[in-house]
Amino acid sequence: MSPTRERSDAHFVTIDSSDDEIGAVPGTSNEAFNKTPSEAGPQPEVQLLNNPESNTASLLPGNLGFRSFWKAGDYAVGPTVKPPPVQGYLEHARVRPKFLHSNATSHKWAFGAIAELLDNAVDEIRNGATFVKIDKLDMKDNSPALLVLDDGGGMDPDSLRKCMSLGYSSKKSKTTIGQYGNGFKTSTMRLGADVIVFSRATRSSQKTQSVGLLSYTFLRKTGQDHVIVPMIDFDISGHWAEPIICSSREDWEANLKTILDWSPFASKEELMSQFEDIGSHGTKVVIYNLWLNDEGIYELSFDDDAEDIRLRDEVNRGDMKKLTKKTVELQSHISYRIRYSLRAYASVLYLRKFSNFKIVLRGRPVEQFDIVNELKHSQVVTYKPQLSVASKEVTVMTTIGFVKQAPSLNVSGFNVYHKNRLIKPFWKVTAEGSSKGMGVIGVLEVNFIEPAHDKQDFEGSPLFIRLETRLKQMTMEYWNGHCHLVGYQPPNYRSHNVTHGSKVQHSTGHLSKSQDKLLAVRQDIGIAEHEEDSSLHLSIVGLPENDEQRLQEQHQVVRTPGSQSIDQIREENLALFWRCEERMRKETELKQMVENLEKELQEAQGKCAQLASLLEAKKNQKKI
């Protein structure tokens, strides 16, 4: 006898916009949209799956307009038949299939979508997860699919329905990365048109395994006007898997048929075999019908490196031109490789190293890359952001230093993390074209600012603007005090101090005469410290005095008396900004002080009134 489970609010398979109503069972037609499982019965929508008239040429997977992600939303939606009102049930807001694509466009970057799936696995560490595997699967038609597998606690039938619903999130911990309840849907739909999920879990001594299918192809090719997610569940507490029937056996069978018709697995036996590599608990996500780029080839490249997944458009950028030695050096740095290499991006995705958890990419574990260890002349700077009066004081520790290859490598910026997760990699806060701040890299974690939905940026709040301003100031302060340690010209350096051959004392020792000449020439002719070819350095050092003088005369920069450079104006603006911030802080403190004094005054006035009335009463008693 197949077990039957009773669940409240679990009789809709359609994805609603409400966080509390979770779809649970089979395809639901317009007529049965507001009915209970017992009232709805077998759904006529299942018959629509085999309707050849719905498979128009414009919706075929091979059509470029459909298979390219940025064009997949360009299709006309047919008229919707309004369901008849059902007594005792309220009208529901529906989610059209097109919304799945629109929602996924929040991910401009495919690696950002993969990072969402990694976050889900990392959040499962608290439930015993020890690994997450990312790999390529070859489908029967030789097309590639993306596999993400973890050994976390898994999802029971209710949890899977919540995962497939929009906006629902059960992650309320201060340490978990997920919070919006939207990451799974946006990330999977950004990577491919279809995704199938397998999960095993144990809850209250009951062992279950569940399958759910979110298929954009199915929804489009069958002309659905709202999102339908077929799901089936099994009780595996005994010796074999028993179907969990939520409404009727016919509905369960209809869900199974839909999954087999629209997934890469054509039989029930083949579907069940997908649980073999999950073990007793965990979740397996298979994303297939991967999106193509504008050229009609797969956006994700599995062939360039057998142990990596790469972004095809980024890795091929620059192949048609001759690369200089400087450019090759830049492209080998982690700041550039994270643009096209998933292995490189995953290595810096989390700030703290895992002790008992691994990210396994195509059969080989990802070695976590600590950016702090790659800095020289580093120091830790403390920043206490000004939050609201009622908020608890927060201290942010920022490690800042020079990139190891400074001054030859033009790489700079801050790596900003939120709850251990990288949000903004190598965020450049200094002005473009300025040599100040060149080679300066910082690492910090800011948990007091909320990230955007795609977790690739922060919300543009006043807190974020203040953070950006503070990081600019931090960069300038560090640069002014440390730039000479890597060979850059100090801010207060004057060329007339070295033209007569005198040696300038720095904190790291004496500069040679040739180095002094080079710095003097740099200052006068305005040569940037980040030019493309370092051979220019060698050509200037050791020039005869006449040639050197002639070079200075040819490239002498005209300066008007009393003129200010952009950097000087910027520094003055920063100083004014922080004076304004300090005044605002003092104003807040004064307002708080005034409020406290007013309260004390009211209390004193109350006591005076009490004493006056008591004194008046005593006077009256004496008169009597």
Side-chain angles (χ1 to χ4, degrees):
M1 187 71 180
S2 301
T4 302
R5 299 184 59 186
E6 297 292 337
R7 285 202 293 267
S8 62
D9 295 333
H11 50 272
F12 296 117
V13 75
T14 52
I15 294 183
D16 284 347
S17 58
S18 168
D19 290 353
D20 300 322
E21 295 176 356
I22 310 303
V25 284
T28 307
S29 68
N30 290 336
E31 291 76 8
F33 186 78
N34 289 320
K35 293 184 180 182
T36 62
S38 59
E39 293 171 331
Q43 303 305 320
E45 257 179 359
V46 177
Q47 301 174 7
L48 185 60
L49 305 182
N50 298 319
N51 182 3
E53 296 180 359
S54 64
N55 298 334
T56 59
S58 62
L59 301 179
L60 290 174
N63 183 283
L64 181 61
F66 176 40
R67 294 301 306 279
S68 173
F69 172 74
W70 298 107
K71 299 177 182 178
D74 297 338
Y75 71 97
V77 180
T80 301
V81 179
K82 185 177 181 180
V86 180
Q87 186 175 3
Y89 287 90
L90 297 176
E91 189 69 28
H92 288 69
R94 304 183 185 184
V95 177
R96 289 279 185 100
K98 204 168 184 177
F99 177 75
L100 292 177
H101 177 267
S102 302
N103 197 34
T105 57
S106 62
H107 284 293
K108 301 296 185 292
W109 193 40
F111 282 175
I114 296 178
E116 289 273 11
L117 301 175
L118 292 178
D119 292 342
N120 290 339
V122 170
D123 283 342
E124 283 296 303
I125 293 177
R126 58 180 180 157
N127 295 323
T130 61
F131 70 83
V132 57
K133 295 180 180 178
I134 310 127
D135 212 336
K136 171 194 174 186
L137 286 182
D138 292 315
M139 299 290 98
K140 290 181 179 179
D141 59 355
N142 293 324
S143 64
L146 185 67
L147 166 70
V148 182
L149 170 68
D150 70 71
D151 65 340
M155 293 181 284
D156 63 5
D158 285 334
S159 299
L160 181 60
R161 280 148 181 80
K162 292 174 182 178
C163 173
M164 293 290 194
S165 299
L166 295 172
Y168 186 93
S169 177
S170 59
K171 298 177 180 180
K172 304 300 182 183
S173 171
K174 293 182 179 180
T175 58
T176 53
I177 302 168
Q179 57 182 325
Y180 294 116
N182 203 30
F184 176 80
K185 279 72 65 176
T186 58
S187 59
T188 52
M189 292 293 98
R190 171 62 182 84
L191 297 168
D194 311 293
V195 58
I196 186 168
V197 182
F198 304 87
S199 195
R200 273 182 176 169
T202 301
R203 303 286 190 274
S204 302
S205 72
Q206 184 187 33
K207 298 180 180 180
T208 61
Q209 64 184 29
S210 302
V211 184
L213 177 69
L214 182 58
S215 173
Y216 191 54
T217 305
F218 156 64
L219 296 170
R220 284 192 56 175
K221 294 179 76 172
T222 57
Q224 306 299 326
D225 67 346
H226 56 281
V227 177
I228 297 173
V229 183
M231 286 178 272
I232 56 174
D233 311 297
F234 299 88
D235 189 327
I236 56 173
S237 302
H239 297 290
W240 54 82
E242 289 283 352
I244 297 176
I245 307 300
C246 299
S247 57
S248 68
R249 184 76 186 198
E250 290 78 9
D251 288 340
W252 192 94
E253 294 289 348
N255 276 271
L256 174 62
K257 183 178 186 305
T258 304
I259 292 173
L260 296 180
D261 286 346
W262 296 94
S263 76
F265 314 107
S267 67
K268 181 180 177 182
E269 292 72 25
E270 190 178 356
L271 192 71
M272 299 295 282
S273 68
Q274 297 303 311
F275 287 97
E276 294 176 0
D277 55 350
I278 294 180
S280 59
H281 53 83
T283 300
K284 179 179 182 179
V285 177
V286 178
I287 305 170
Y288 57 103
N289 283 333
L290 299 177
W291 295 118
L292 311 179
N293 62 13
D294 291 339
E295 297 177 357
I297 55 180
Y298 288 106
E299 186 179 16
L300 297 178
S301 173
F302 300 92
D303 302 326
D304 294 331
D305 189 333
E307 295 181 341
D308 198 3
I309 298 174
R310 297 191 171 184
L311 286 181
R312 193 180 304 274
D313 293 339
E314 287 290 341
V315 74
N316 292 333
R317 186 169 295 177
D319 284 350
M320 302 304 294
K321 62 181 181 180
K322 185 178 180 180
L323 301 180
T324 65
K325 181 180 178 181
K326 192 77 172 179
T327 304
V328 172
E329 184 181 8
L330 174 63
Q331 293 185 354
S332 65
H333 191 262
I334 187 71
S335 62
Y336 188 87
R337 288 190 290 116
I338 61 176
R339 301 179 186 180
Y340 65 85
S341 168
L342 181 60
R343 181 170 293 277
Y345 180 57
S347 70
V348 298
L349 189 57
Y350 302 101
L351 178 60
R352 290 175 287 278
K353 290 192 174 183
F354 302 119
S355 57
N356 191 31
F357 184 84
K358 292 182 179 180
I359 300 174
V360 183
L361 178 57
R362 304 198 71 181
R364 186 166 72 87
V366 173
E367 296 181 7
Q368 288 184 266
F369 185 87
D370 192 346
I371 301 173
V372 172
N373 292 338
E374 298 297 308
L375 303 180
K376 60 183 179 180
H377 308 302
S378 64
Q379 67 178 39
V380 177
V381 181
T382 302
Y383 166 50
K384 293 185 178 181
Q386 182 183 346
L387 307 179
S388 60
V389 177
S391 301
K392 186 179 179 182
E393 188 179 70
V394 174
T395 301
V396 179
M397 310 298 289
T398 303
T399 303
I400 188 170
F402 279 105
V403 64
K404 275 187 176 180
Q405 297 87 344
S408 62
L409 191 60
N410 179 9
V411 173
S412 60
F414 287 86
N415 294 271
V416 189
Y417 290 78
H418 175 83
K419 293 183 179 179
N420 197 42
R421 159 76 138 81
L422 180 63
I423 304 298
K424 290 181 74 69
F426 296 94
W427 175 30
K428 188 174 175 61
V429 297
T430 56
E432 291 292 338
S434 174
S435 61
K436 285 193 173 183
M438 197 64 64
V440 177
I441 291 177
V443 180
L444 66 155
E445 183 178 27
V446 292
N447 295 335
F448 61 94
I449 305 177
E450 291 300 323
H453 281 260
D454 63 350
K455 297 186 180 74
Q456 298 298 311
D457 205 343
F458 289 96
E459 299 291 350
S461 63
L463 284 176
F464 178 73
I465 296 173
R466 290 194 193 112
L467 173 66
E468 182 178 13
T469 304
R470 180 66 184 99
L471 294 181
K472 289 179 181 178
Q473 183 188 46
M474 192 183 300
T475 302
M476 292 299 102
E477 290 174 350
Y478 179 83
W479 171 268
N480 292 337
H482 299 80
C483 64
H484 61 279
L485 298 178
V486 293
Y488 287 110
Q489 176 181 310
N492 298 325
Y493 185 82
R494 293 293 180 267
S495 60
H496 62 78
N497 292 332
V498 296
T499 53
H500 299 292
S502 61
K503 296 182 179 180
V504 181
Q505 178 71 28
H506 294 286
S507 59
T508 54
H510 294 279
L511 292 174
S512 66
K513 184 177 180 180
S514 61
Q515 287 175 317
D516 289 341
K517 288 182 179 180
L518 174 60
L519 292 177
V521 172
R522 280 179 177 276
Q523 183 183 33
D524 288 339
I525 68 176
I527 296 177
E529 279 76 5
H530 55 279
E531 62 270 22
E532 283 295 320
D533 194 352
S534 60
S535 61
L536 184 58
H537 294 249
L538 301 177
S539 63
I540 296 176
V541 175
L543 279 175
E545 292 185 1
N546 293 337
D547 293 341
E548 182 180 321
Q549 184 177 1
R550 189 183 311 114
L551 183 61
Q552 292 186 39
E553 291 173 352
Q554 289 176 354
H555 298 275
Q556 186 174 5
V557 179
V558 178
R559 297 179 177 86
T560 60
S563 63
Q564 286 183 305
S565 67
I566 295 177
D567 289 336
Q568 288 174 328
I569 296 173
R570 187 182 299 111
E571 289 176 3
E572 289 181 4
N573 287 339
L574 281 174
L576 290 172
F577 176 85
W578 285 109
R579 285 175 59 188
C580 182
E581 287 285 303
E582 182 65 18
R583 287 183 180 273
M584 290 175 61
R585 185 184 65 80
K586 289 182 179 180
E587 183 180 353
T588 303
E589 292 176 354
L590 289 173
K591 286 182 180 179
Q592 188 66 37
M593 185 183 300
V594 169
E595 291 177 2
N596 295 336
L597 290 173
E598 287 177 347
K599 290 180 181 178
E600 292 178 5
L601 179 60
Q602 291 177 357
E603 293 175 358
Q605 289 175 344
K607 291 180 180 179
C608 288
Q610 291 178 357
L611 290 173
S613 60
L614 182 61
L615 183 60
E616 186 68 24
K618 287 184 178 181
K619 286 181 179 180
N620 293 336
Q621 288 178 357
K622 288 181 180 181
K623 289 180 181 180
I624 295 173

